[in-house]
Amino acid sequence: MRKSRPVVFVVSLLLIAVLAASITGCSSNKKRRHSSSDPVAAATTTSSSAFRTCEDAWDAGKAPLRRQDPDYSAQLDRQDGKEDGVACLVRPTTAPR
């Protein structure tokens, strides 16, 4: 029984070290999420869009625009008030002229 105590102690220390590393975020995944080379993050920060309004996107047949799409912009996503990563989900109604 005495011989197994050091093994249990070492295994316990390793588990505590892994837990502490995961809590503090020592992994490289966290660094990649905040990188500017991330295509999802780059798409959300792009201010120039091919479409000024959701009506333009619908008229071009490109709507709805998802965050991964090159024509997506956060400005268009804010127009529906949700900011959920999908812009121009509902076709805007046009008032009769």
Side-chain angles (χ1 to χ4, degrees), residues 32-81:
R32 269 189 257 135
R33 264 188 263 148
H34 299 291
S35 172
S36 63
S37 64
D38 187 15
V40 173
T44 58
T45 59
T46 304
S47 62
S48 63
S49 174
F51 307 112
R52 289 182 45 211
T53 64
C54 285
E55 189 174 346
D56 294 340
W58 276 98
D59 289 342
K62 298 284 186 170
L65 300 168
R66 289 174 175 60
R67 190 173 280 139
Q68 299 85 2
D69 294 338
D71 295 328
Y72 170 88
S73 74
Q75 176 188 3
L76 290 174
D77 197 8
R78 282 187 216 107
Q79 287 182 2
D80 63 1

Side-chain angles (χ1 to χ4, degrees), residues 2-37:
R2 281 194 169 286
K3 291 182 181 181
S4 66
R5 284 187 183 177
V7 173
V8 171
F9 181 72
V10 170
V11 170
S12 299
L13 284 179
L14 286 174
L15 288 174
I16 291 170
V18 168
L19 179 63
S22 67
I23 289 174
T24 59
C26 291
S27 68
S28 61
N29 290 339
K30 193 167 197 168
K31 292 178 185 176
R32 269 189 257 135
R33 264 188 263 148
H34 299 291
S35 172
S36 63
S37 64

